[in-house]
């Protein structure tokens, strides 16, 4: 989990995660220089499951998630946003799916709880598209994919291809999904596994300018070349 000024939501999210952990699991939280009492709330849980790290300076959520991944130790890793709520049984559902499907990455769908004025219609992952790898890549390029990091579980063997993150990527989740699709090792789980809270500060929902959209397509092409080079090493 990457945290930043998450005091309004993070307690409920951590509680929903801790309830699903078993001995040997860990919840790694990297705080990106929060200015509120986020870290204090985290420390109040007083459990061995949680390991908290604090960035010496604000690095942004992409680099913060990258650091969290590098600090992980187990074979299977979930990414978690600070403001969602894990649905009961989520962890076991993803775990059984990634084992049974024998893939590097599983991504699911989610329920939406809207606490803002945003009117958002989220696309859903379709199970039957799991092996339509080129179609999935095309949807990412067109900005019509339904890949969100908070829905994912990955096998750490994917680290060989995704780490380190290129400095130019704006969305670590799309970077990971691109890698998994090009490796032909991804599965779409149609189930909802978390509650996605929409509020005024959601980073992923902010409208991008035309220039930023064009730049994102350019970075997509750079990422594609980068991934192919890593795969063919």
């Amino acid at each position: 989990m990457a945290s930043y000024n998450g005091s309004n939501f993070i307690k409920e999210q951590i509680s929903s995660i801790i309830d699903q952990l078993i001995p040997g699991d860990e919840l790694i939280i990297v705080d990106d220089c929060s200015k509120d009492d986020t870290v204090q709330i985290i420390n109040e849980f007083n459990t061995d499951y949680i390991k908290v790290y604090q960035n010496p300076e604000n690095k942004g959520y992409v680099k913060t998630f990258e650091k969290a991944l590098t600090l992980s130790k187990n074979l299977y890793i979930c990414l978690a946003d600070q403001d969602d709520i894990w649905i009961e049984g989520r962890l076991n559902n993803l775990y059984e799916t990634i084992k049974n499907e024998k893939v590097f990455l599983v991504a699911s769908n989610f329920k939406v709880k809207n606490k803002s004025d945003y009117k958002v219609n989220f696309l859903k992952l379709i199970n039957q598209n799991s092996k339509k790898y080129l179609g999935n890549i095309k949807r990412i390029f067109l900005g019509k994919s339904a890949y969100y990091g908070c829905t994912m579980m990955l096998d750490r063997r994917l680290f060989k291809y995704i780490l380190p993150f290129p400095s130019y990527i704006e969305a670590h989740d799309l970077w990971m999904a691109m890698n998994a699709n090009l490796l032909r090792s991804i599965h779409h789980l149609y189930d909802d596994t978390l509650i996605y809270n929409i509020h005024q500060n959601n980073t992923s929902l902010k409208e991008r300018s035309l220039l930023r959209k064009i730049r994102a397509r350019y970075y997509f092409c750079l990422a594609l070349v980068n991934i192919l080079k890593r795969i063919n090493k």
Side-chain angles (χ1 to χ4, degrees), residues 72-83:
S72 66
K73 296 182 177 64
N74 290 338
L75 177 59
Y76 299 113
I77 299 98
C78 282
L79 301 185
D81 288 345
Q82 65 184 3
D83 47 2

Side-chain angles (χ1 to χ4, degrees), residues 75-93:
L75 177 59
Y76 299 113
I77 299 98
C78 282
L79 301 185
D81 288 345
Q82 65 184 3
D83 47 2
D84 298 329
I85 302 170
W86 281 19
I87 293 174
E88 184 177 354
R90 162 193 161 84
L91 193 57
N92 191 60
N93 194 355

Side-chain angles (χ1 to χ4, degrees), residues 178-197:
M178 287 175 66
N179 272 272
N181 272 290
L182 287 170
L183 289 163
R184 304 171 69 86
S185 190
I186 191 168
H187 182 77
H188 298 173
L189 177 63
Y190 188 76
D191 299 359
D192 295 325
T193 66
L194 61 89
I195 298 171
Y196 187 102
N197 274 316

Side-chain angles (χ1 to χ4, degrees), residues 61 83 110 112-122 148 196-208:
Y61 64 93
D83 47 2
F110 51 84
V112 174
K113 186 176 183 180
N114 199 336
K115 299 180 179 179
S116 75
D117 296 327
Y118 290 121
K119 304 299 180 185
V120 185
N121 292 318
F122 290 97
Y148 295 88
Y196 187 102
N197 274 316
I198 299 177
H199 51 84
Q200 299 297 332
N201 295 321
N202 286 106
T203 304
S204 60
L205 300 182
K206 294 178 179 177
E207 183 64 28
R208 295 186 299 171

Side-chain angles (χ1 to χ4, degrees), residues 39-175:
V39 175
Q40 179 181 338
I41 292 171
I42 296 169
N43 289 331
E44 287 173 356
F45 277 88
N46 192 28
T47 171
D48 291 338
Y49 282 126
I50 297 177
K51 297 175 176 62
V52 188
Y53 302 86
Q54 293 178 266
N55 287 338
E57 59 185 11
N58 187 274
K59 295 182 178 294
Y61 64 93
V62 173
K63 285 298 180 183
T64 301
F65 269 116
E66 180 182 36
K67 181 176 179 178
L69 288 175
T70 63
L71 291 167
S72 66
K73 296 182 177 64
N74 290 338
L75 177 59
Y76 299 113
I77 299 98
C78 282
L79 301 185
D81 288 345
Q82 65 184 3
D83 47 2
D84 298 329
I85 302 170
W86 281 19
I87 293 174
E88 184 177 354
R90 162 193 161 84
L91 193 57
N92 191 60
N93 194 355
L94 291 172
Y95 176 63
E96 292 299 326
T97 302
I98 201 169
K99 286 199 306 177
N100 293 337
E101 298 296 331
K102 297 180 173 62
V103 293
F104 285 159
L105 191 149
V106 172
S108 73
N109 291 307
F110 51 84
K111 296 179 180 179
V112 174
K113 186 176 183 180
N114 199 336
K115 299 180 179 179
S116 75
D117 296 327
Y118 290 121
K119 304 299 180 185
V120 185
N121 292 318
F122 290 97
L123 298 171
K124 280 192 171 286
L125 289 173
I126 307 300
N127 178 267
Q128 291 82 353
N129 288 343
S130 295
K131 294 184 179 180
K132 296 179 179 179
Y133 307 114
L134 292 181
N136 295 333
I137 291 289
K138 180 180 178 181
R139 278 184 282 274
I140 293 174
F141 176 77
L142 294 174
K144 295 181 178 180
S145 76
Y147 293 122
Y148 295 88
C150 60
T151 73
M152 295 177 176
M153 174 178 277
L154 54 150
D155 185 314
R156 74 179 305 109
R157 287 176 291 180
L158 187 60
F159 285 12
K160 173 184 176 182
Y161 306 98
I162 64 173
L163 296 178
F165 292 164
S167 59
Y168 52 80
I169 66 168
E170 298 177 311
H172 59 288
D173 41 13
L174 297 183
W175 164 253

Side-chain angles (χ1 to χ4, degrees), residues 3-10 31-39 58 82 199 201:
S3 65
Y4 177 71
N5 292 349
S7 60
N8 291 335
F9 303 97
I10 199 166
D31 186 77
D32 197 23
C33 298
S34 289
K35 298 177 177 63
D36 62 5
D37 57 347
T38 294
V39 175
N58 187 274
Q82 65 184 3
H199 51 84
N201 295 321

